[in-house]
Amino acid sequence: MRDKYYFISDIHLGIRSSKEFNKFQELLLIDFLNEIQSDAKELFIIGDLFDCWIEYKRVVPKGYYKLFTKISELTEAGVKITYFAGKHDFWRGKYFKEEFGIEIEHTGKSLEIDGKKFFLNHGDGLAYNDTGYRILKKILRSPVSQKLYSLLHPNFGIWLATSSSASSREYTSKKDWSGKDGLRDFALNKLDEGYDYVVMGHRHLPIVIEKNNQKYYINLGDWIRNFTYGVFKDGNFRLMKYYDYDSKKVVNTDYKKNNDKKE
């Protein structure tokens, strides 16, 4: 019975120079998709499925054949997939829509699931001290910029985007984001507006914060170190851990809520 809604974010396929890790990461994700195929009603990918994704009109980055085959199986089996634009994979054309029927969301989205009001958003650009990125984001996502970029040869264009992705990650790892959490504050404000759940990624930090009697901000974590995901059924949202990086085992159990708290 398809009665569960699944949420993942920040897989960052291709993040490392190690081909061994990249292959492991892709196959682990496929194992996860195999497990949810029988009961998933909808899968929400909340950004950064790839560490860098850029496609041209007739060219997409090579690789990920097994993953795309699995995604195709899911959609053909009746699983709806919604893919939110992330910081590293926002530049998509019509490939996912035409090949798999996957809806692409470039901004946050409100929706109702089983009587609960959700707000979903990747979360990039919401951190404090991030004005520069917000300006750059508007420039890079403008149709004019993307049209000009498409004039570059795909070999060079994809290489440049991949190199820029790595540089951006190194820069942000050293950046002072201020003592406040902009994503958290944004989410709590959304809860005050009447949402029951605000689900985001981007931080790579799994967390559940409860506010005002069963209203929740959930950050989904990542699939680089945490391997966490969310599942919603019958009015209950669970933050889960699929794989334990230290023990090298699939655990598929509730995430230990070391970062969880009430507001």
Side-chain angles (χ1 to χ4, degrees):
M1 181 177 180
R2 299 193 180 283
D3 57 357
K4 294 181 180 178
Y5 298 81
Y6 289 92
F7 304 77
I8 58 174
S9 74
D10 296 275
I11 293 86
H12 286 273
L13 291 170
I15 189 172
R16 296 185 182 175
S17 58
S18 168
K19 291 183 179 180
E20 181 179 353
F21 179 82
N22 292 335
K23 181 57 65 176
F24 152 78
Q25 195 183 34
E26 181 183 6
L27 293 178
L28 186 68
L29 178 60
I30 292 171
D31 287 344
F32 167 74
L33 296 177
N34 282 330
E35 289 210 14
I36 72 171
Q37 182 168 336
S38 62
D39 63 11
K41 185 171 184 178
E42 189 163 356
L43 170 66
F44 298 95
I45 303 172
I46 315 293
D48 287 350
L49 173 59
F50 303 94
D51 193 55
C52 179
W53 179 269
I54 179 171
E55 66 187 69
Y56 287 73
K57 187 175 182 179
R58 293 183 175 85
V59 177
V60 297
K62 71 175 184 178
Y64 312 113
Y65 171 78
K66 293 180 179 178
L67 174 62
F68 291 149
T69 299
K70 184 71 249 177
I71 288 175
S72 181
E73 289 178 5
L74 286 176
T75 55
E76 289 176 5
V79 180
K80 182 180 178 181
I81 300 178
T82 303
Y83 190 168
F84 284 75
K87 181 179 180 180
H88 290 261
D89 58 4
F90 68 86
W91 203 332
R92 291 183 296 269
K94 299 180 180 179
Y95 182 74
F96 285 89
K97 178 64 176 178
E98 293 178 349
E99 291 294 321
F100 311 114
I102 292 177
E103 296 294 335
I104 304 297
E105 298 289 342
H106 291 277
T107 59
K109 182 177 182 179
S110 301
L111 68 157
E112 186 173 303
I113 303 176
D114 293 345
K116 298 294 184 179
K117 192 174 180 182
F118 278 73
F119 185 83
L120 310 180
N121 188 23
H122 178 62
D124 57 317
L126 295 177
Y128 295 113
N129 292 352
D130 208 13
T131 304
Y133 170 70
R134 286 192 284 272
I135 295 172
L136 181 62
K137 179 179 177 180
K138 289 183 179 180
I139 294 173
L140 292 178
R141 296 195 183 191
S142 74
V144 174
S145 295
Q146 296 191 5
K147 179 64 176 178
L148 292 173
Y149 199 94
S150 71
L151 299 177
L152 299 174
H153 189 279
N155 287 346
F156 178 72
I158 293 174
W159 170 83
L160 180 60
T162 302
S163 301
S164 299
S165 177
S167 299
S168 172
R169 191 167 52 254
E170 182 179 359
Y171 168 75
T172 53
S173 67
K174 299 176 181 178
K175 182 177 174 64
D176 176 15
W177 298 103
S178 91
K180 295 182 178 180
D181 183 347
L183 277 74
R184 169 188 168 279
D185 290 350
F186 174 88
L188 295 181
N189 286 335
K190 283 292 181 182
L191 295 178
D192 287 338
E193 291 175 13
Y195 289 95
D196 298 296
Y197 295 91
V198 176
V199 184
M200 294 193 287
H202 189 55
R203 284 289 312 279
H204 295 208
L205 178 67
I207 190 169
V208 176
I209 295 178
E210 181 181 2
K211 183 177 184 180
N212 296 339
N213 298 322
Q214 298 184 332
K215 292 179 178 289
Y216 299 93
Y217 159 47
I218 298 105
N219 196 289
L220 296 168
D222 63 27
W223 276 56
I224 302 169
R225 181 77 187 188
N226 293 295
F227 301 97
T228 42
Y229 68 96
V231 59
F232 182 77
K233 178 186 176 182
D234 297 333
N236 181 42
F237 194 107
R238 297 170 66 189
L239 185 61
M240 306 287 290
K241 187 177 185 67
Y242 184 70
Y243 179 83
D244 184 73
Y245 189 84
D246 295 323
S247 65
K248 310 299 182 188
K249 293 180 181 179
V250 172
V251 291
N252 207 16
T253 186
D254 285 280
Y255 176 73
K256 293 182 180 179
K257 301 178 180 180
N258 296 328
N259 296 311
D260 297 0
K261 60 182 179 179
K262 292 188 177 183
E263 289 289 324

